[in-house]
Amino acid sequence: MKALTRFCLKMVQNYLPDAFILAILLTFVVFFGGMFLMDKSALQMIEYWGKGYSSMFVFGMQMVLVLLTGYVLALTPLAKKILNKVTSIPKTPQQALGLTALVSIASCYINWGFGLVIGAVLAKEVGKKVKGLHFPLLVAAAYGGEIIRGPSSSIPLVSATPGNFMEKLGLPLTPVSETLYSSWNLIMTLVIVIMLFIVYFNMKPQANEIVEYYEKEPEKQEVPVAKKDMTFAERLENSYWLNALFGLVPLIYLGANFSKIGFDLNLNLVILIFLTLGLYLHSSPNTFLKAVSQGIGASRGIILQFPLYAGMSGMMTASGLVDMISLWFVNISTAHTFPLYTFLSAGLVNIFIPSGGGQWAIQGPIMMKAAEALGANVPQTIMAFAWGDGWTNQIQPFWALPLLGVAGLSARDIMGYCVIWTIVSGLIISGTFVALSFM
């Protein structure tokens, strides 16, 4: 394991460019793929890119806000106190790695957006305290939990929702009891969790290769102004009552919303929860805004790169590349092997369209109609698609950007470890679908 890890790390460090450069290179791969495989002109591919470029503006803003509000929440005095207690539990690098992985897995299972922020913040705080801990490995382990498909997994949820676009195509609803909460999926999830710990525990580098967390020198604190010397505007900026009063708006909305639909989290609600807690747990609008200014730099990768992947998605969809890849896997499948090939095809397309909901809308109808025509197991096909979408996230820096922004690392620092985990998790998931094909 250690020899393979060192090989992967060396390859990644030598050949993996910055995440922004990788997004540009993948754009050219899709661009020329559309020209030579789908017989599209260069001008057509550019038009497809231009039309797709803005399609993730809303989603990109959601990701910026979930990261920013989570970061602001982590900088509140109460959150710092809780983090201080939690991070004082592990005394050794192994214990620190286990705690971070466990919290990340649990958080990602509840909601992937929530998990990305919690895992990153916890990794950073643990890295400050535990000596002899290889920080890039710790961050990679925190990111490893993102593979888990839990109650916020959009694909099985959409498939179970009345009136969804699949139902309009004549395909039946599939309840989550047959997908997310099926016995085989729960067992596979448990195996993946156990293997995540085993894999990352066995990737510890040599003592001379360990890179501990390095914290930059904090900026000089401003000297507080006495309240009697403040202007009216400064008193407003430093008054807690303004935070508390405004916080009532999202607080009442959240209470009313959850009373109607139950505790059903989505990305917008996670943002609102983080925002509300941040308002109430910071002492004033001024301290809230200072926390925002500290966290804003962590979101720069999302702001710049999400539109590039949206343009890529536009080219993949409009040129017919997604259909071509999907149909190729359909043509080599049987009723028994179709879930396995669905998993592999979803993983491949996810590298270029790293958005579960978006990918399902494009590729899902083809795969589901094929499953029905072949007589394949539909719930298994749905979960195969969901797992494929999450599987290659581990080697796609797109989803690691929020976590890397908080941790202050580059994709090159963690991807060598993520490659190992991608191979192992891929074998577990593929093996599960092969076993199911014989049942």
Side-chain angles (χ1 to χ4, degrees), residues 213 248 313:
Y213 176 76
L248 285 173
S313 174

Side-chain angles (χ1 to χ4, degrees), residues 1 4-5 8 101 104-105 137 139-148 188-201 203 343 387 390-395 414-429:
M1 173 68 79
L4 180 59
T5 302
C8 290
S104 178
I105 289 167
L137 178 62
V139 174
Y143 186 52
E146 198 276 335
I147 198 173
I148 298 298
M188 182 175 71
T189 300
L190 180 61
V191 172
I192 287 173
V193 170
I194 293 169
M195 285 305 299
L196 187 145
F197 285 97
I198 293 172
V199 168
Y200 277 99
F201 281 167
M203 286 197 287
F343 165 68
W387 281 106
W391 175 47
T392 47
N393 281 348
Q394 293 298 305
I395 52 170
I414 70 167
M415 280 298 151
Y417 303 109
C418 293
V419 168
I420 302 293
W421 177 230
T422 301
I423 294 169
V424 173
S425 59
L427 289 173
I428 295 169
I429 300 167

